[in-house]
Amino acid sequence: MIHDPAPDHGGPALLGSSGQPHPPLIQAARQTNRIGLMPTEGWRKRNLQYFGEVLIPSLLAARKPGRIVDGVPLVTAREIGITWLGHAGFFAQIDGVNLLIDPNWALWHGPIKRLRHPSVWASDLPPIDLVLVTHAHYDHLHLPSLRRVARGQPIIVPKGVGSIVKRAGFGQVVELETWQRAKFRDLRITLTPARHWGARMIHDTHRGFGGYLISSPTRSLFHCGDSSLFDGFQEIGQRADIDLALMPIGAYQAPSGRPVHMNPEEALDAFAMLRAQNMVPMHHDTFPLGGEPIHEPAARLLAATAARQLQDRVRILHEGESALY
């Protein structure tokens, strides 16, 4: 892997791991896009509603069995293949490279219960060439899941997250600042901005966060990570002709009241700003993280997709299901 800290918009070079200060514009953008940790007014009522209507019922309900799937498909050199692993996790194939993004096979995150057994486990996947993690939150950076696939291959994470994964079994840990780029074989992997936050604990707000633009010489895949709606999606769409965007649609009724995720309609707005050809949703139907009913995000997305006449461009996958583009 070759780390390439030069931005692709012709501006001043970003600095890598030299220890020198980053350009002021990068620092300002990072601070503007970071959402604060303070809850908004009414958080106590929202938390009671979340516990009573979402969390406790999910604990009392039986976990659904995993679906029976036929494995991942064979992908030609000019195709993009994806398999949804649940939550924000995807196995992706592009230009002959097997990618794993935000894998999470956990059955529990503290008191939060996974609602279905995974349908595709790490052992069901082909050898993984490269792993990407969008940010340090436990539902996206799940260390036991990462250790299941670590075989000395490289992993790419945002700046400040490398210390968490450095002993997980990967051969090379590459940290990227926003708009920095790494190369792997013929792929270019760029860390894109998001409007979210990246702390693993309350005090370590220095950790970066974002999405990934994964480009081969002919195709381009975008994984949004976690984000609320912001105008940065327009700039991302100007950087590449995106064939497929993986967009989060759930956990939009945060008990804290903070605008940390997009609802389905906002995800479609972001999809339009990206000017992407196709969209597959994620971050729904796996862990009950928001106050909305667990099946509401997918239902709202279906309705909004029909209203905007996007049925042929937006596809909802079942956990474990694959698609080719």
Side-chain angles (χ1 to χ4, degrees):
M1 176 178 290
I2 302 172
H3 181 232
D4 177 12
D8 53 9
H9 55 70
L14 298 176
L15 299 176
S17 57
S18 64
Q20 300 180 48
H22 296 288
L25 287 178
I26 298 297
Q27 293 179 339
R30 188 194 311 145
Q31 294 299 328
T32 299
N33 292 337
R34 180 179 288 121
I35 294 174
L37 299 178
M38 293 300 295
T40 63
E41 186 178 354
W43 65 270
R44 291 183 178 86
K45 180 179 179 180
R46 288 190 297 270
N47 272 273
L48 289 173
Q49 179 264 330
Y50 169 70
F51 277 92
E53 298 180 13
V54 177
L55 184 62
I56 292 176
S58 72
L59 296 176
L60 299 177
R63 183 181 284 120
K64 296 178 181 179
R67 294 183 173 90
I68 298 175
V69 297
D70 296 328
V72 299
L74 295 175
V75 176
T76 67
R78 295 186 64 84
E79 289 179 314
I80 296 174
I82 59 161
T83 301
W84 187 41
L85 305 177
H87 200 51
F90 283 90
F91 170 70
Q93 302 167 83
I94 178 171
D95 202 35
V97 177
N98 292 338
L99 294 163
L100 199 58
I101 310 170
D102 285 2
N104 188 339
W105 288 285
L107 296 181
W108 294 91
H109 279 294
I112 299 175
K113 176 181 178 181
R114 191 185 187 113
L115 302 180
R116 179 184 296 276
H117 285 279
S119 300
V120 175
W121 292 87
S123 57
D124 299 319
L125 297 174
I128 305 300
D129 300 312
L130 177 65
V131 178
L132 311 178
V133 173
T134 61
H135 59 297
H137 291 170
Y138 284 88
D139 58 320
H140 291 254
L141 195 166
H142 184 244
L143 276 172
S145 294
L146 292 175
R147 292 190 181 107
R148 290 185 183 211
V149 300
R151 297 293 184 273
Q153 71 273 65
I155 184 172
I156 299 177
V157 298
K159 187 74 173 178
V161 180
S163 60
I164 302 175
V165 301
K166 65 180 180 181
R167 294 186 179 89
F170 295 98
Q172 183 182 10
V173 178
V174 177
E175 293 190 342
L176 296 181
E177 280 276 13
T178 302
W179 291 128
Q180 279 189 307
R181 184 176 63 203
K183 293 180 180 178
F184 183 82
R185 299 181 189 171
D186 289 333
L187 296 184
R188 293 176 300 162
I189 299 98
T190 304
L191 183 70
T192 57
R195 194 172 196 292
H196 199 58
W197 88 108
R200 192 151 176 96
M201 301 293 184
I202 292 178
H203 64 278
D204 60 355
T205 55
H206 67 283
R207 301 190 195 276
F209 54 93
Y212 287 105
L213 191 60
I214 305 154
S215 299
S216 77
T218 58
R219 308 300 302 279
S220 188
L221 170 68
F222 173 65
H223 188 294
C224 180
D226 274 350
S227 182
S228 58
L229 185 64
F230 77 128
D231 58 10
F233 289 115
Q234 291 179 329
E235 184 176 4
I236 297 169
Q238 293 169 357
R239 300 292 184 111
D241 295 326
I242 299 171
D243 295 289
L244 176 61
L246 309 175
M247 304 298 292
I249 64 168
Y252 43 85
Q253 290 186 13
S256 67
R258 296 153 60 225
V260 292
H261 301 115
M262 290 182 284
N263 62 38
E265 295 80 11
E266 290 171 330
L268 288 178
D269 291 341
F271 173 55
M273 294 165 70
L274 290 166
R275 301 183 302 175
Q277 293 299 310
N278 301 283
M279 171 180 153
V280 168
M282 61 176 177
H283 210 266
H284 66 98
D285 280 297
T286 309
F287 296 106
L289 299 177
E292 73 276 1
I294 190 66
H295 300 299
E296 182 180 282
R300 280 179 60 171
L301 181 66
L302 279 174
T305 298
R308 304 185 192 199
Q309 299 182 340
L310 294 172
Q311 298 96 320
D312 59 337
R313 296 173 59 195
V314 178
R315 178 175 176 181
I316 298 178
L317 298 181
H318 296 299
E319 186 174 322
E321 187 178 4
S322 301
L324 300 178
Y325 291 89

